[in-house]
Structure formats: structure tokens, C-alpha cells
Amino acid sequence: DTAVSQTPKYLVTQMGNDKSIKCEQNLGHDTMYWYKQDSKKFLKIMFSYNNKELIINETVPNRFSPKSPDKAHLNLHINSLELGDSAVYFCASSLRGSVAPTEAFFGQGTRLTVV
Amino acid sequence: KNEVEQSPQNLTAQEGEFITINCSYSVGISALHWLQQHPGGGIVSLFMLSSGKKKHGRLIATINIQEKHSSLHITASHPRDSAVYICAVSPTGNQFYFGTGTSLTVIP
């Protein structure tokens, strides 16, 4: 059983389009994350979210927005795609612990290519 | 400056060699994570530790909280160990800072 699943795995789209990447976790975790991995393999957090709090990395353009229909899903919507948005996007989840963090589980990643 | 620094950035080893990857961090943390990413693949969590040492198969992870340093060791390395290894730290329960990763290639 896949713990954290993302769809699609590959996404090729034109500049200016709006696209979404879906993420679902079946672990019962209460916190989900979106990360962007650049061409140098460096992971940067974009959002962390549970049903009470959304934390946004201030460097993330407001063209990116997380949408959470329920605790098991955190989708990433991207408006007006730009060439620089091309990257691999990872979703992750964990059980939030303010003192003792728990292991994070990652999805397989979505390779977004903007042409 | 990144909160998490890894070394080396790239590492090539012969099959069977003992491998060490280092991670230093500059923030107070609740836990440190070692992650593995295979080429074109997803990310797998190998270890989460907040003190001492953990062992899983041929992989060993250690952490020294006072020195803000962790090491990931691979004994009897194998070509299937070839991957990017990423160190990440959790200052709080819902945040992670990532290192830039160490790309390991094990040659048969």
C-alpha cells in the first residue's frame, strides 16, 4: 500500500497554464507538506499544513496555493506557470509533534516541466 | 548560509568499501533525519534520530547533539546503494531544513 501518493508523476505544460498536483496520504497523519526540489537536488519547503495552521514559506510566489479538502489530501495549485517553475515537487506527511517530531513519509515526486 | 551542510557533495566508492557521509547543522533541533533518493525516484526516510546511534542492516546513523553533527555510514557498500543521501533537521515538529545532498555512486 502506498503511504503517500502523488499524481501525476510527470507533467508537461505550457507557460501561462494553470495546473494542479494531487497528494494523498493513508497514514492518518495530521500534517502534510509540499517541497520543491531544484535542479541541484536541493529540497526547499513550500508549505506545511494541518487542519489548524498553514505555514507558508515567504519565498513562495502567490501563484502557488495549497488546497486541502480533508486531512488526507493536500493538493498544490499553480497559476500562470513560468519556466522557472520546472522542478520536481514532493509531497510529504508526518504526525505533528511540537516537541517530538515524527518520521516524515514522502511521495514519489511530480516532475513538472514548463515549456 | 544553509542551516544544514553535508559533505562530501559527491562520492564514488568501490563495491565493498565502508562509506561515511557527514552532516553538520547550525540550529537547535528536535530530531535529525537521513533520507535516500534513488535516481528518478522518490524519497525514502532511512533514519530519524535525536541522540546516539541507530542501525538498520548495513546502514548506521550517529548523532552528536553537542557538536551538532551526524554521520551516515554504509558498511560493505553495494551498487544498489547508489543514490542521493539527504540530511534533514527538525527544529520543531512540523518543519524540516534540508542539506544539499550527497550523491553516492558505488562501482562494481
Side-chain angles (χ1 to χ4, degrees):
Chain A
D1 285 343
T2 303
V4 181
S5 61
Q6 292 178 231
T7 54
K9 190 171 181 181
Y10 300 97
L11 181 56
V12 181
T13 187
Q14 289 186 321
M15 280 176 57
N17 283 350
D18 302 338
K19 290 293 179 185
S20 295
I21 306 171
K22 295 184 177 180
C23 179
E24 176 182 5
Q25 53 95 4
N26 61 5
L27 298 164
H29 287 166
D30 57 6
T31 304
M32 297 182 73
Y33 313 81
W34 275 105
Y35 294 92
K36 180 180 180 181
Q37 187 177 43
D38 61 25
S39 57
K40 295 182 180 179
K41 302 291 186 183
F42 190 39
L43 279 161
K44 292 184 180 178
I45 191 165
M46 301 176 72
F47 307 100
S48 69
Y49 182 80
N50 66 16
N51 57 5
K52 297 177 185 176
E53 186 178 17
L54 170 66
I55 299 175
I56 303 171
N57 184 326
E58 60 189 16
T59 66
V60 175
N62 57 14
R63 298 181 294 103
F64 291 78
S65 58
K67 297 281 194 300
S68 180
D70 54 58
K71 210 168 83 164
H73 297 82
L74 184 66
N75 303 324
L76 181 65
H77 295 267
I78 316 170
N79 295 324
S80 302
L81 277 156
E82 300 178 357
L83 292 176
D85 298 332
S86 296
V88 181
Y89 293 84
F90 284 95
C91 175
S93 74
S94 70
L95 195 59
R96 178 174 178 166
S98 59
V99 175
T102 59
E103 188 175 6
F105 290 80
F106 287 81
Q108 285 293 304
T110 296
R111 182 174 294 278
L112 170 65
T113 303
V114 182
V115 298
Chain B
K1 189 179 186 300
N2 195 26
E3 292 84 355
V4 183
E5 299 285 346
Q6 283 184 238
S7 62
Q9 281 194 327
N10 296 286
L11 181 56
T12 301
Q14 291 288 333
E15 183 173 356
E17 284 186 6
F18 180 84
I19 289 164
T20 296
I21 300 171
N22 295 300
C23 175
S24 296
Y25 53 92
S26 58
V27 295
I29 67 169
S30 298
L32 182 142
H33 308 253
W34 280 103
L35 311 171
Q36 180 193 55
Q37 183 176 24
H38 282 282
I43 297 173
V44 174
S45 178
L46 297 175
F47 295 103
M48 184 184 77
L49 61 165
S50 54
S51 65
K53 175 179 169 179
K54 285 190 176 180
K55 185 175 188 292
H56 181 68
R58 295 180 295 104
L59 301 177
I60 304 166
T62 63
I63 187 169
N64 185 317
I65 296 292
Q66 287 73 31
E67 295 185 3
K68 294 187 175 177
H69 181 270
S70 174
S71 293
L72 176 68
H73 305 286
I74 305 175
T75 61
S77 60
H78 190 276
R80 65 174 174 266
D81 297 327
S82 298
V84 175
Y85 292 83
I86 303 168
C87 174
V89 299
S90 301
T92 63
N94 65 334
Q95 183 59 279
F96 297 91
Y97 295 111
F98 294 88
T100 52
T102 295
S103 180
L104 171 65
T105 303
V106 182
I107 301 170

